[in-house]
Amino acid sequence: MKNRNLGCLLSLLLLSGAVVAQTPRRIAIRAGHLIDGKSDQPIANALILIEGNKIVSVTPGGSPPAGADVIDLSRATVLPGFIDAHTHILLQGDVTAADYDEQLLKQSTPYRAILAARNAHIALSHGFTAMRDLETEGAMYADVDVKTAINRGEVPGPRMFVATRAMAPTGMYPLLGYSWELDMPHGVQPVDGVDGARLAVRQQVSHGADWIKYYSDHAYFYGPDGILHSHVNFRADEARAIVEEARRIGRPVAAHAIGSDGIAAALDAGVDTIEHGDGLTDELIDRLVQQKVYWVPTVTVSVYVAQGRAGNWPKMIETQRAAFAKALRKGVKIAFGTDVGGFPWTELNQAREFRYYVEYGMTPIEAIRTATTTAAELLGWSDRIGSVEPGKFADIVAVSGDPLADITELEHVRFVMKDGVVYRNELK
Ligand SMILES: [Zn+2]
């Protein structure tokens, strides 16, 4: 009786075509030029074969196999999907403290999560197929929910690597300055003491944090030595406890560090990535190289907020630009990061960051690598994303011009595929 039922089920499946559908769908992309993320030279007339969600072969020339759906990008430049290693999907711009406070005080977390889903869609349509989202700015663990909804195919968006709440000691992160009678929301998880640090890491990881982020410093100022200094947030033993606990349970650590003191403290603690890093000195640049720590400069946000914040902020752009040139010369691993959310998702395309890297001294191919191979390495996903080659996920974008001649072409992505699925194609 049981066997007969199974037989019926099998013939039903065969009739409905469900068994046939198990053969992965094959797509062949004909690329006019392919910048694969690995080689310096584009490959002309490349044929990329995709089965299901993976790239199975990349060949110069050749014909698409029988039965494959062909996507003709023969007049376009094809690249690996972009990776932004510093985003805030739950934030909508915060030039001033008032902009920031208003979001935490007047918007519910569900409302912010709806905007986050919209932001994920914007990012994907601009060619960003992966993002490291470095804290929710008071929206608790809503980044984990956005990531889950994307992974389940409920909403379109990039592959998300999330940091949840981030950490700073009591009194060193907004909201600040309100009456002591009010119990205000916190932009981060307030964390104090070594035990508190370990507990916070465990709590965040238990709710889905892929990365741990903490704020190494605040209050940035130029000293008589001309160096950009800052007030360090955590005691050395607290910062070390965060890093040790994260590492023990397999999570890398990102540190917000703008002034030289904050950067030095983060490097002492043993973090994996330095965020912003405006105040990098020659000595600190050498330490980045020695300790193999990534630098995520986030130039777009620095330029965007400078005028509105005034004070030292405009000068900090120049300080960072000088550090960038030195870091590039000394071989620091620079990974693409914009801090989008610090500027509104709806106003600027994250891909603007590429043009600053070229203005600051990178060749276009070097700038492209920051958002492909280097960012994939930072994520520990080099074996899965960051280049167009056999075995990688089919995360592929295309532009109609030549980004090696004009880097701003990357701000006009016209084709987006993520995980083998086409989300945008204006090159038909
Ligand atoms: Zn940020």
Side-chain angles (χ1 to χ4, degrees):
M1 203 52 190
K2 272 184 188 163
N3 281 344
R4 215 178 67 184
N5 280 348
L6 190 65
C8 283
L9 186 67
L10 272 175
S11 41
L12 198 69
L13 281 171
L14 278 168
L15 280 173
S16 70
V19 171
V20 177
Q22 281 174 3
T23 312
R25 188 169 162 232
R26 297 173 107 195
I27 297 175
I29 296 179
R30 170 75 69 200
H33 289 93
L34 170 64
I35 296 171
D36 66 1
K38 291 266 179 183
S39 44
D40 284 342
Q41 294 302 321
I43 304 163
N45 198 28
L47 188 74
I48 305 160
L49 187 62
I50 295 146
E51 264 181 30
N53 65 346
K54 293 265 182 69
I55 298 164
V56 291
S57 70
V58 180
T59 48
S63 330
D69 295 335
V70 178
I71 297 175
D72 180 16
L73 303 180
S74 59
R75 287 189 300 276
T77 304
V78 174
L79 306 104
F82 308 147
I83 304 165
D84 189 337
H86 190 133
T87 67
H88 298 283
I89 204 153
L90 284 134
L91 197 66
Q92 320 301 328
D94 68 335
V95 172
T96 65
D99 297 337
Y100 185 84
D101 293 11
E102 184 162 321
Q103 290 176 59
L104 272 72
L105 292 169
K106 294 188 177 172
Q107 296 180 357
S108 69
T109 298
Y111 180 74
R112 296 179 66 191
I114 291 166
L115 297 185
R118 178 204 62 188
N119 297 341
H121 192 186
I122 292 173
L124 186 64
S125 73
H126 287 160
F128 289 85
T129 52
M131 302 198 301
R132 186 180 58 150
D133 201 67
L134 283 185
E135 80 143 322
T136 61
E137 309 287 1
M140 299 299 283
Y141 297 96
D143 53 351
V144 179
D145 297 305
V146 174
K147 174 186 166 179
T148 303
I150 291 169
N151 287 351
R152 289 181 181 166
E154 304 291 356
V155 292
R159 300 175 191 281
M160 298 292 292
F161 300 81
V162 299
T164 73
R165 302 182 65 192
M167 303 175 188
T170 295
M172 296 185 197
Y173 199 81
L175 304 185
L176 297 170
Y178 292 88
S179 160
W180 57 265
E181 289 167 294
L182 297 172
D183 193 11
M184 302 307 290
H186 297 287
V188 292
Q189 181 169 6
V191 168
D192 298 288
V194 166
D195 288 343
R198 291 210 178 96
L199 176 62
V201 171
R202 291 173 193 176
Q203 286 171 329
Q204 295 190 0
V205 171
S206 78
H207 291 306
D210 303 306
W211 277 75
I212 295 299
K213 183 201 185 174
Y214 76 86
Y215 282 79
S216 185
D217 63 356
H218 72 282
Y220 321 109
F221 62 95
Y222 285 93
D225 53 5
I227 290 172
L228 182 64
H229 287 278
S230 57
H231 291 290
V232 175
N233 287 340
F234 285 108
R235 272 188 345 233
D237 59 344
E238 292 171 317
R240 242 188 344 263
I242 294 171
V243 175
E244 281 173 10
E245 191 60 25
R247 196 146 292 150
R248 202 176 65 76
I249 48 181
R251 295 298 185 281
V253 181
H256 162 113
I258 288 184
S260 57
D261 309 81
I263 299 166
L267 290 172
D268 288 346
V271 302
D272 298 280
T273 70
I274 293 288
E275 308 303 313
H276 317 298
D278 306 49
L280 279 167
T281 60
D282 289 5
E283 188 207 334
L284 291 168
I285 288 169
D286 289 339
R287 286 188 67 190
L288 280 179
V289 176
Q290 282 155 18
Q291 295 182 219
K292 298 188 171 59
V293 171
Y294 293 84
W295 178 28
V296 184
T298 70
V299 178
T300 311
V301 82
S302 307
V303 174
Y304 187 85
V305 302
Q307 292 308 322
R309 288 189 185 169
N312 286 327
W313 291 88
K315 188 176 173 187
M316 283 158 62
I317 299 173
E318 294 314 312
T319 304
Q320 188 184 44
R321 185 176 184 144
F324 193 98
K326 285 180 194 162
L328 185 59
R329 228 177 16 249
K330 291 189 173 188
V332 170
K333 296 193 284 189
I334 300 174
F336 184 104
T338 62
D339 212 1
V340 57
F343 57 89
W345 293 82
T346 48
E347 209 173 296
L348 288 187
N349 182 336
Q350 292 153 273
R352 178 179 282 249
E353 187 82 11
F354 285 113
R355 69 162 88 167
Y356 292 120
Y357 294 174
V358 172
E359 274 174 30
Y360 286 14
M362 280 185 172
T363 63
I365 197 80
E366 284 173 335
I368 288 167
R369 257 190 224 119
T370 65
T372 55
T373 30
T374 307
E377 224 178 79
L378 174 151
L379 293 169
W381 270 53
S382 288
D383 56 336
R384 283 159 279 185
I385 57 174
S387 59
V388 178
E389 56 180 340
K392 300 283 172 79
F393 288 129
D395 292 0
I396 294 169
V397 301
V399 293
S400 49
D402 178 7
L404 301 184
D406 176 8
I407 196 72
T408 63
E409 192 55 44
L410 300 180
E411 295 169 34
H412 309 287
V413 163
R414 299 189 193 283
F415 172 87
V416 180
M417 171 185 274
K418 191 198 106 189
D419 218 30
V421 176
V422 177
Y423 287 90
R424 181 174 192 174
N425 188 1
E426 288 160 14
L427 294 164
K428 278 186 261 192

